[in-house]
Amino acid sequence: MCWHDAAFSSPSGVVTTTFTSPILSPGNFLNIVLCRLAVTPVHCVATGVLRPRYHSFFQTLLTIWREEGPKGLYGGMSAHLLRVVPNTAIVFFTYEAVVRLT
């Protein structure tokens, strides 16, 4: 059992998660938009009228995209990577160990 099985599989977990997460599991986008809808406070417009910044799911999604770009939709990715990288290393290490035993 070699340490390089785990060491070389970790970057693959990072690459896979970064590029496939928005496509295969759009739940990250959904969570970001829903959190913004629920948590964003009301702000004052030039007329003095108080109104919410975000009104609907798609308006929130477009606003995040326009103001923050794609980076805004990757919020929370670092926490997700902290879970995925060790998991990928353990899975590859275990697989290789079992294959060598048989």
Side-chain angles (χ1 to χ4, degrees):
M1 290 186 251
C2 295
W3 60 270
H4 60 78
D5 294 331
F8 292 130
S9 64
S10 296
S12 70
V14 172
V15 171
T16 303
T17 300
T18 304
F19 290 110
T20 63
S21 181
I23 299 165
L24 298 177
S25 73
N28 192 35
F29 293 159
L30 179 65
N31 287 335
I32 290 170
V33 171
L34 293 178
C35 286
R36 297 272 180 105
L37 279 168
V39 176
T40 304
V42 174
H43 73 287
C44 184
V45 182
T47 60
V49 178
L50 296 177
R51 47 180 260 202
R53 177 172 170 78
Y54 302 115
H55 305 287
S56 69
F57 178 82
F58 291 109
Q59 183 264 342
T60 304
L61 187 64
L62 288 174
T63 302
I64 294 170
W65 184 266
R66 282 189 209 124
E67 293 179 359
E68 301 174 36
K71 185 178 177 182
L73 296 173
Y74 276 93
M77 185 62 76
S78 58
H80 186 64
L81 288 174
L82 286 174
R83 180 181 64 95
V84 168
V85 170
N87 180 40
T88 306
I90 291 168
V91 166
F92 274 92
F93 183 79
T94 305
Y95 173 77
E96 289 296 325
V98 169
V99 166
R100 287 186 181 116
L101 289 175
T102 56

